[in-house]
Amino acid sequence: MRWTQRLRIRQLHVLVELHRIRNLSRTAANLDMTQSALSKWLAELEDDLGVPLFEREPKGIRPTAWSPDGSPARRTHSMNARRGP
């Protein structure tokens, strides 16, 4: 089963919150999760996708070109780049 078929609304909400807050600890607290559970879930999702969604930085996270940002054009460009010629 493809990862897109397994992604649930709750998980999409988590991604949106990560993108909005840009901090694992604060996002986890906001979603009533532990930071370690959120970090593990994100690492597993990125592993399934084969691309990093967020860059880890000392004071938070920064979305990569692969991160869902609400921009259909950016996502389409990223997916086409991943597929190759």
Side-chain angles (χ1 to χ4, degrees), residues 20-72:
R20 184 178 71 81
I21 297 171
R22 298 183 186 211
N23 181 286
L24 286 169
S25 296
R26 287 196 308 258
T27 300
N30 193 42
L31 298 171
D32 295 322
M33 302 174 72
T34 65
Q35 183 273 332
S36 60
L38 178 58
S39 183
K40 182 180 177 192
W41 173 81
L42 181 58
E44 288 173 357
L45 178 61
E46 290 174 323
D47 188 54
D48 285 350
L49 294 172
V51 295
L53 297 175
F54 296 91
E55 298 271 340
R56 276 65 167 178
E57 298 179 340
K59 296 198 181 226
I61 57 174
R62 184 172 42 92
T64 67
W66 299 101
S67 180
D69 69 344
S71 169

